[in-house]
Amino acid sequence: MNTGVKTGTLAAKEESTERKDIAFKEQFKLYAPKIYHFGMSYLKSVHDSEELVQDVFMKVWNQYESLDESRNIKAYIFKIAVNLIYDQLRKRKLDKLAAELTALHAVELEDTTWNTLSFNELQSQIDMLISQMPDQRRLVFTLSRVEGLSYEEIAKKLNISIRTVENQVYRALAFLKLHIHTKYLLYFIFYYLY
């Protein structure tokens, strides 16, 4: 009698797995081409767009059992795609910046004293500008960029919303970008934006 229950449970699991496979394949057939074209419009790369489709549906597959069927699956899939596109574009920017910094470093390798002085001068200018910020903005910026806390950690520590943290960091960076001398901008971008 006990084996009958196990067999029934096993059959139910197999049937559930088959339904999951069928539903997933239907979602893939429906949304994969749309995600691909959506990715191409931003990424401009066949390889990256194909990888985007794979990554999106890998995430969907891994979360499939916990998905709420009453929620909009299309919105969920596209939200994953948007986040992955942002990640890819951010990575490209960092790769490009790293390449530019490497090239700049190779050209200026012989002049390390100038680099050290420039960096120290930039740091002094940034410190002075940070001291001119309103108290909360200065504190939020310091916790984020100097101490390396996440927005969520800062929000909890200061008992403010994450949105307020994001807004304060954005305004601090905009203020610094506006007032930093252009000859230091590349250093500033590297050290404070990423």
Side-chain angles (χ1 to χ4, degrees), residues 27 30-39 41-42 52 56-57 60 72-86:
Q27 299 297 328
L30 180 62
Y31 293 113
K34 294 175 183 178
I35 295 296
Y36 175 82
H37 292 295
F38 182 68
S41 68
Y42 289 96
L52 172 70
V56 165
F57 282 97
V60 170
N72 184 346
I73 189 74
K74 178 180 179 182
Y76 177 73
I77 289 172
F78 273 89
K79 182 65 177 171
I80 293 171
V82 166
N83 289 337
L84 290 172
I85 288 170
Y86 283 147

Side-chain angles (χ1 to χ4, degrees), residues 153-172:
E153 290 170 328
I154 296 168
K156 285 180 183 175
K157 186 173 187 169
L158 300 179
N159 199 24
I160 57 177
S161 73
I162 293 174
R163 185 69 182 129
T164 300
V165 173
E166 291 171 350
N167 188 15
Q168 291 298 325
V169 170
Y170 173 81
R171 288 179 179 203

Side-chain angles (χ1 to χ4, degrees), residues 2-20:
N2 212 3
T3 47
V5 172
K6 285 185 179 177
T7 306
T9 304
L10 184 60
K13 282 185 180 180
E14 287 177 4
E15 184 178 316
S16 173
T17 302
E18 282 183 41
R19 274 189 273 131
K20 177 184 170 185

